[in-house]
Amino acid sequence: MATTQAAGNGGAVTTMSESGGIDRLLAGTSWTRADVELALQTASTLLLLYWAVTEVADGL
């Protein structure tokens, strides 16, 4: 079950309950939620940069 809490920057943070979600998936690994978030942000940024570069290259 997901719960939503107010974040310090005016946004909302959704967390998974103790019975499942990301915590259960990460159990037994050396990864933390912060590691997963950083990996997802990095992948997202790289995809955005790739898209921007290909759009510019197609326009030339």
Side-chain angles (χ1 to χ4, degrees):
M1 170 176 228
T3 59
T4 303
Q5 301 169 331
N9 60 2
V13 176
T14 301
T15 59
M16 301 299 285
S17 70
E18 295 174 10
S19 63
I22 192 71
D23 292 327
R24 186 173 47 141
L25 292 173
L26 295 176
T29 70
S30 62
W31 284 65
T32 64
R33 284 180 179 233
D35 296 332
V36 172
E37 183 178 342
L38 180 60
L40 291 173
Q41 288 177 350
T42 302
S44 174
T45 301
L46 290 174
L47 286 170
L48 181 61
L49 286 172
Y50 174 77
W51 172 80
V53 168
T54 57
E55 286 294 312
V56 169
D58 289 344
L60 295 178

